[in-house]
Amino acid sequence: MRLNAIERKARLVLFLFALILAITIGITLLLYAKDRRELSEQNLRQLRLEALTMASLLSPSQALITESSLAKIVEQRGFSGSVAVFESNGQLIASASAGKRSVSPRLMSPKQAIASGRNNSAPEPPSFSNTKTRTEAGSDFAEAPLSGQRVLVLARTSDVSPPPAVFYVFGYQIISIVAGLIFILFLIRWLFRPYRRMVEAARGSPVKASSYKSESEFVVETFQALVEKLQSKEKELAGLHALERNRADRSERFSERLIVNIPSGLVTIDSNGFVTSANAQAIEVFSYKEKASHQNGNPIWEPGMHALSIEYESFFKSAPRLREMVAACLKDGIALRREEVDVLLPDGRTRHLGLSLSPMFDDGHRIEGALCLMTDITEVIELRERMKLQENLANLGEMAAGLAHEFKNSLATIHGYAQLLESQMGDTPAKRGRQDTVDGMLNEVRLLARLVTDFLNFARPQRINLAPVDLGSLVRESAAEVAPLIEGAKIELRISGDFPTLPADETLLSRVFVNLLRNAAEAIDPGSDSKIIEVSGSTDSGEGARYAHIRVRDTGTGISREDLHKVFIPFYTTKSRGYGIGLAIVQKILIAHGGDVAVESSDPTGTQFHCRLSLQPTSME
């Protein structure tokens, strides 16, 4: 390929050289013709001036013009050529010659004299305008009018001519050839400079030069070796590139899988305070529904990171403390570790998050954003609270068990004496009055004994016997147990929803629902127009379903706001008759099953209790 390129360049140079040579020869010929024409015109001008001068000298003498006088004038003027005076009819009067450039008088017949004689008019005085010149038969002629109808003719041969055309042609050709050779020399050096560089580079290659090889063979062999080496290096580089690309692809896929499978929420925020991306877990926590697909009316986000463009104050609107932390991080570059924040969900529940917030810096150590990593620790905190409550209840039970036992013994003694006193009563009116007193005392003793028994059951650690329990059947059986109370108060009972089968202690759970239904029935005002108790069941949706939910709602008068946090405290009650132990037992049983209970809503239109039970075998004895 390189040799073909050099050959094309050489051909182009030769063509240019031939073209330049032809142009040079053409220019030379043109210059030669121009020089000859200019030289001839110059000779004619000189001859005209000479004729005009001699005519001025001869004009005063009209009859004295002889050959001797002409010869004298020619000699005085130093004219080289021939001079003749003619009559207007062309008859020669006198002639004279000098030098090697003389012309025969018979060739000097005037053209102007004949014309003047033909016209029979007197000639004009000699002047530059009426002095005529011509060139004939290799000689130059000049004619000037004289007085007396005469004409002066000067003639001389053109033997002093410019160099022949061949001289100019070959002279310029020689110059052109020399210049062309110099140009070709430098051109060859320029054309072969890459070749010389290749030869120098080849001498530094591993291939050694040999006296049996020409320089071109040595260069070709060297570059063949280099091409083979480059090809092997290219294959090696392609292999390394493919390996690096596979490694980058694996790393990218690993990062994608890591983000998809990470159980924590991940949010990135730029320096302008805009959330630029978030994964599905974070979007679900903060209930961001824009650009989400929907399934059964619920927003669904695909796993992985999603590009967003929303101000962090709007994205974290349900977590005021988190907004403050992000603002401080973006402003001052403060990194926060193992912080806990609360997120208020649209349904009124609170979700607890554990998070770490780190600023991101550019090469100039300027803050360009923040990275927020969060984990839902709601269940951990609830478990911690349940453990704490379980521990408090255990401590309370240990402390009160002994006191309750002694108190029960004293009640047993009082009950025995009251029965003995009752047996000693007669049928007299006075004794019958005392009988009423004794009966009231016995009722109070039985009431206190039942209270102590319930308290001991509450304080004593519960032993959970787990077995599959159908919640729907258990709720209906519990409703049947309190049916006399509900029907007597003319209350409508509604049971609906999904009640799964789960591992639980059927006896203890029955006690939970009996207490909740009894409390709901007792909370409804007998004079109310709306007497309804609703029991609804549901389970968590999705693959990670963990809890069953049972809600008991009544249309009673509700619980005051200041009493809401006290309803699960033992012995706290707002009823005229009651122990205040029922809801505390409900809470203890549900916590023992790995669940919990809470007042979900309460207002003058009624109260709703929310019970949550684990779908997996869990107990906290």
Side-chain angles (χ1 to χ4, degrees):
M1 184 182 296
R2 172 68 69 178
L3 294 177
N4 292 335
I6 294 176
E7 183 178 358
R8 286 195 299 269
K9 289 183 179 179
R11 289 179 179 177
L12 178 61
V13 169
L14 292 176
F15 172 76
L16 292 176
F17 176 74
L19 180 63
I20 293 172
L21 184 60
I23 294 174
T24 302
I25 294 174
I27 293 174
T28 301
L29 294 175
L30 291 175
L31 293 175
Y32 170 71
K34 181 181 178 182
D35 290 342
R36 289 205 55 159
R37 186 172 59 252
E38 290 177 354
L39 184 57
S40 176
E41 291 175 356
Q42 183 178 0
N43 289 335
L44 291 175
R45 283 196 300 270
Q46 290 178 355
L47 190 61
R48 177 184 293 180
L49 290 174
E50 190 67 31
L52 183 60
T53 302
M54 289 186 181
S56 299
L57 294 174
L58 294 173
S59 290
S61 61
Q62 299 181 358
L64 297 178
I65 300 175
T66 62
E67 292 183 357
S68 58
S69 61
L70 282 178
K72 186 177 181 181
I73 293 174
V74 168
E75 184 179 359
Q76 291 177 353
R77 296 291 303 167
F79 178 71
S80 178
S82 299
V83 180
V85 178
F86 293 86
E87 293 287 350
S88 60
N89 57 4
Q91 183 178 359
L92 178 63
I93 298 176
S95 65
S97 298
K100 298 180 180 181
R101 301 178 63 184
S102 61
V103 179
S104 175
R106 60 184 180 83
L107 298 176
M108 298 174 60
S109 179
K111 300 292 189 281
Q112 180 177 350
I114 295 173
S116 300
R118 207 181 279 129
N119 295 330
N120 296 321
S121 60
E124 298 177 359
S127 65
F128 196 86
S129 60
N130 57 16
T131 301
K132 306 299 181 180
T133 60
R134 69 180 186 277
T135 300
E136 290 180 359
S139 299
D140 298 332
F141 299 90
E143 301 175 1
L146 296 175
S147 60
Q149 298 293 323
R150 295 172 295 182
V151 178
L152 175 66
V153 179
L154 273 71
R156 61 184 177 187
T157 59
S158 300
D159 56 349
V160 183
S161 60
V166 177
F167 174 80
Y168 288 96
V169 172
F170 282 101
Y172 284 109
Q173 284 181 349
I174 291 173
I175 295 173
S176 300
I177 290 173
V178 172
L181 289 176
I182 295 174
F183 174 73
I184 290 175
L185 178 63
F186 282 101
L187 180 63
I188 290 175
R189 290 179 59 86
W190 176 72
L191 290 176
F192 281 90
R193 184 171 56 181
Y195 178 76
R196 290 196 301 272
R197 290 182 179 177
M198 287 193 295
V199 173
E200 293 175 359
R203 291 196 179 100
S205 67
V207 180
K208 295 183 179 180
S210 175
S211 59
Y212 300 101
K213 298 178 183 178
S214 64
E215 192 176 67
S216 60
E217 291 176 346
F218 170 65
V219 171
V220 170
E221 184 178 350
T222 300
F223 277 92
Q224 285 178 348
L226 291 177
V227 167
E228 293 176 357
K229 189 174 181 180
L230 286 175
Q231 289 176 346
S232 64
K233 292 293 184 182
E234 184 179 3
K235 292 180 180 179
E236 182 179 356
L237 183 61
L240 293 175
H241 178 68
L243 180 63
E244 187 65 24
R245 183 174 56 192
N246 292 335
R247 185 180 301 169
D249 292 341
R250 288 197 303 271
S251 177
E252 183 177 359
R253 288 194 298 270
F254 176 77
S255 299
E256 291 176 354
R257 290 195 299 270
L258 179 64
I259 293 176
V260 169
N261 297 318
I262 188 172
S264 304
L266 184 64
V267 179
T268 59
I269 309 161
D270 64 13
S271 58
N272 296 321
F274 280 84
V275 175
T276 57
S277 62
N279 63 355
Q281 289 82 351
I283 293 173
E284 187 273 332
V285 167
F286 293 100
S287 303
Y288 184 72
K289 300 180 181 180
E290 294 185 12
K291 301 182 180 179
S293 58
H294 290 77
Q295 182 177 358
N296 298 328
N298 298 319
I300 301 296
W301 286 87
E302 294 294 330
M305 295 296 290
H306 298 272
L308 304 176
S309 180
I310 180 175
E311 293 183 352
Y312 76 88
E313 293 182 349
S314 299
F315 189 81
F316 298 132
K317 62 182 178 181
S318 56
R321 184 165 178 265
L322 179 55
R323 294 200 302 268
E324 298 175 358
M325 295 166 62
V326 171
C329 181
L330 293 177
K331 181 180 179 181
D332 303 323
I334 300 175
L336 302 172
R337 301 285 187 274
R338 298 181 181 179
E339 297 290 335
E340 294 184 7
V341 296
D342 295 336
V343 179
L344 183 63
L345 301 180
D347 57 4
R349 295 182 295 116
T350 300
R351 178 174 288 182
H352 306 282
L353 299 180
L355 61 86
S356 295
L357 191 61
S358 302
M360 295 185 295
F361 299 94
D362 59 11
D363 296 337
H365 203 68
R366 294 183 295 270
I367 300 175
E368 64 176 1
L371 179 67
C372 183
L373 184 66
M374 62 193 71
T375 303
D376 189 350
I377 58 173
T378 303
E379 296 183 1
V380 176
I381 291 181
E382 290 178 351
L383 179 61
R384 185 172 62 193
E385 294 296 329
R386 288 198 297 269
M387 292 292 293
K388 183 177 180 180
L389 179 60
Q390 186 80 2
E391 183 180 356
N392 292 337
L393 291 176
N395 293 333
L396 178 62
E398 292 177 2
M399 178 184 67
L403 180 62
H405 181 72
E406 295 298 330
F407 189 56
K408 187 175 183 181
N409 291 336
S410 299
L411 285 176
T413 302
I414 295 173
H415 186 263
Y417 280 119
Q419 287 180 331
L420 179 61
L421 184 60
E422 182 182 19
S423 62
Q424 295 175 356
M425 293 296 171
D427 196 22
T428 61
K431 291 182 178 181
R432 283 198 296 273
R434 286 195 294 272
Q435 182 67 38
D436 294 336
T437 303
V438 172
D439 291 340
M441 183 176 62
L442 287 174
N443 289 333
E444 291 298 326
V445 169
R446 294 190 187 99
L447 182 63
L448 287 174
R450 190 162 58 248
L451 172 61
V452 172
T453 300
D454 289 341
F455 180 73
L456 286 175
N457 290 333
F458 169 74
R460 187 183 298 117
Q462 299 285 348
R463 186 169 189 83
I464 307 297
N465 297 316
L466 296 179
V469 175
D470 184 353
L471 279 183
S473 300
L474 184 62
V475 169
R476 292 180 179 85
E477 292 174 2
S478 302
E481 186 175 341
V482 294
L485 176 61
I486 293 176
E487 294 174 356
K490 298 180 179 181
I491 298 173
E492 179 184 358
L493 178 61
R494 301 174 182 174
I495 301 175
S496 62
D498 179 23
F499 296 93
T501 299
L502 48 77
D505 189 315
E506 184 174 1
T507 302
L508 294 178
L509 280 189
S510 176
R511 190 173 181 184
V512 167
F513 295 128
V514 167
N515 282 345
L516 289 175
L517 291 173
R518 180 182 289 111
N519 283 350
E522 292 175 352
I524 297 176
D525 188 356
S528 175
D529 296 333
S530 177
K531 298 179 180 181
I532 300 173
I533 297 176
E534 295 180 357
V535 181
S536 60
S538 64
T539 57
D540 289 338
S541 59
E543 297 180 357
R546 300 184 59 183
Y547 291 101
H549 304 270
I550 298 91
R551 291 175 171 82
V552 180
R553 178 173 179 79
D554 61 60
T555 57
T557 57
I559 303 172
S560 62
R561 183 179 297 274
E562 56 272 13
D563 292 334
L564 278 177
H565 66 284
K566 303 177 183 178
V567 293
F568 297 108
I569 298 177
F571 306 111
Y572 178 80
T573 181
T574 58
K575 301 176 185 178
S576 58
R577 298 289 294 175
Y579 316 138
I581 198 69
L583 290 178
I585 293 175
V586 168
Q587 184 185 53
K588 181 179 180 181
I589 293 173
L590 291 176
I591 290 176
H593 280 78
D596 56 29
V597 62
V599 180
E600 197 166 60
S601 63
S602 183
D603 53 42
T605 63
T607 302
Q608 177 169 293
F609 283 86
H610 175 204
C611 302
R612 191 170 63 165
L613 287 168
S614 176
L615 295 174
Q616 305 299 325
T618 303
S619 64
M620 298 179 62
E621 297 183 3

